[in-house]
Amino acid sequence: MRERSFESVVRRKVVVAIPPVAGLVLASGVAVALTAGGFAALGAALSLGAAWLAIVYRNEIFRRGDRAGDYVIGLSSERVVRVELTPLKSRYFVRHDVSLPFGGNIDHVICGPSGAFAIETKTRRYLKSHLPLATRRALWLTKRLDGHRVTPVICLVNRDRRPFEHDGVWVVSASELREWLEARRDRPVDPVFALRVL
């Protein structure tokens, strides 16, 4: 199974968000230059045209910007969890951004002496709709691991709270994630086996 790069997805979202704003900035700069160069009427027309486009497409411009911002924040949160999981690599199979055949990905997969885990990263909070999604991804991974039960986990990066279970999904803060994973006593999964099947 290939490991996809979430960084490349974020780059694409940012690149899609930049052109409308860059176009407006460029049009404003040209309008100012035309006005300063003695072409006030042309500069004013260009400025009004850019303003009209900004008004007409403002929702799309803001939507693209917000979406790109969400992806950048998500990438930052995933990097925090990656750093937190790095010390486990000597004894666990650790993989990030595992693509799924039905779309999407599992942010982090951990397999080793304390069990198997499918971890979804969220920055501050999660929605109830994230719970069945995390469960579905863990079930897919369970099948890939020949029936070894995979525990679904949502990791909250900017929230400190004791680990708790919500509708079969564990919710754990990033600051407690590694300690929580190592303390689990689920059925062990051989990291070499996990590497072979994933």
Side-chain angles (χ1 to χ4, degrees):
M1 178 190 328
R2 71 183 173 85
E3 189 173 352
R4 80 181 185 121
S5 168
F6 186 55
E7 286 89 346
S8 66
V9 173
V10 173
R11 275 194 298 275
R12 279 194 300 262
K13 295 297 181 186
V14 170
V15 166
V16 166
I18 289 173
V21 175
L24 290 172
V25 170
L26 179 63
S28 298
V30 170
V32 168
L34 286 171
T35 302
F39 299 97
L42 191 55
L46 181 60
S47 184
L48 287 172
W52 179 80
L53 284 173
I55 291 167
V56 170
Y57 292 105
R58 73 179 177 274
N59 290 340
E60 178 65 16
I61 291 168
F62 285 127
R63 186 186 67 76
R64 285 184 184 191
D66 288 346
R67 190 150 175 85
D70 290 345
Y71 272 85
V72 169
I73 290 168
L75 175 60
S76 175
S77 295
E78 286 195 22
R79 285 179 175 161
V80 168
V81 176
R82 281 182 186 213
V83 168
E84 187 65 29
L85 296 174
T86 297
L88 296 177
K89 287 186 172 184
S90 62
R91 296 178 301 119
Y92 288 78
F93 168 83
V94 178
R95 179 163 289 168
H96 310 286
D97 293 325
V98 176
S99 296
L100 299 169
F102 48 84
N105 72 312
I106 301 173
D107 294 338
H108 316 278
V109 172
I110 310 297
C111 298
S114 60
F117 307 89
I119 303 171
E120 298 301 316
T121 302
K122 301 297 174 195
T123 302
R124 288 179 205 84
R125 63 186 180 89
Y126 66 96
L127 303 175
K128 191 154 174 72
S129 61
H130 294 143
L131 299 171
L133 188 62
T135 300
R136 181 176 164 206
R137 290 173 176 174
L139 286 173
W140 174 84
L141 189 55
T142 294
K143 290 176 187 170
R144 294 287 300 188
L145 294 173
D146 289 340
H148 285 80
R149 185 184 181 283
V150 175
T151 302
V153 178
I154 291 177
C155 180
L156 299 176
V157 172
N158 289 341
R159 214 156 146 207
D160 284 328
R161 184 173 174 183
R162 299 290 305 154
F164 65 96
E165 196 172 3
H166 186 177
D167 292 345
V169 177
W170 279 93
V171 180
V172 183
S173 67
S175 61
E176 296 197 30
L177 181 61
R178 189 170 5 119
E179 182 181 335
W180 180 84
L181 288 168
E182 291 179 301
R184 296 285 296 179
R185 293 294 173 257
D186 298 341
R187 182 179 168 203
V189 177
D190 180 13
V192 175
F193 165 73
L195 176 63
R196 193 173 68 246
V197 299
L198 294 175

